[in-house]
Amino acid sequence: MVMDAYRKAQDLLARRPHFVAELRKKLQTRGFPAEDVEASLGRLMELGYLDDLAHGRQLAREYLWRRGYGRLMIIQRLRRKGVEPSLARRITDELFAAVAPVELEELFSRLVPKAGRDLYAYLYRRGFLPEEIEPFVARSRQEDVQD
């Protein structure tokens, strides 16, 4: 029954936002027919309760500012949740276009104590691009030499 799948989807969305692919998988795992799942997802998207772009933007901001992930790691995490590659890249590109270099440096400064000796490798493994890392690492090395 379409209404059963729809109600279950509403219940899941009341707990936390989901991506379309996540919700589809959960509903199918619970045994709802594919037609009912798709009808429910379509209705939820029409009503604005299911929005991959909005949820992706929110999650990408959290990944950057709370977890300290770079663009490559953010794209990877979004893809794991079922976000289409082009949408994951768009979300990440928009996020990083809005980040001022000074904000990125502040984030890197917070991550320094966790980095150990090789700051560049640490930031690279977290998904930051070389062109984002190199200016910060160069300044950090200059400050170390001056001290």
Side-chain angles (χ1 to χ4, degrees), residues 15-116:
R15 293 182 184 150
R16 71 166 182 86
H18 286 72
F19 291 105
V20 173
E22 286 180 301
L23 201 52
R24 178 180 292 117
K25 184 177 179 180
K26 285 184 178 184
L27 293 172
Q28 288 173 341
T29 299
R30 286 170 170 79
F32 292 106
E35 316 80 58
D36 294 356
V37 170
E38 293 307 317
S40 299
L41 295 175
R43 181 71 179 141
L44 290 165
M45 286 187 281
E46 283 175 25
L47 295 172
Y49 297 134
L50 194 56
D51 184 344
D52 280 1
L53 180 60
H55 180 44
R57 285 175 172 157
Q58 180 271 324
L59 196 55
R61 283 191 303 272
E62 178 183 322
Y63 284 153
L64 175 62
W65 299 116
R66 286 194 179 162
R67 298 188 185 180
Y69 294 160
R71 71 177 69 225
L72 300 176
M73 181 77 79
I74 294 170
I75 290 170
Q76 181 185 52
R77 296 292 170 121
L78 292 173
R79 290 287 300 124
R80 282 186 193 163
K81 292 191 170 283
V83 176
E84 293 295 320
S86 60
L87 182 58
R89 184 161 303 281
R90 174 182 165 197
I91 289 167
T92 306
D93 287 348
E94 288 175 2
L95 173 63
F96 276 83
V99 174
V102 68
E103 292 175 305
L104 204 53
E105 287 206 16
E106 287 172 12
L107 174 64
F108 289 169
S109 294
R110 284 195 343 247
L111 296 173
V112 166
K114 299 176 184 176

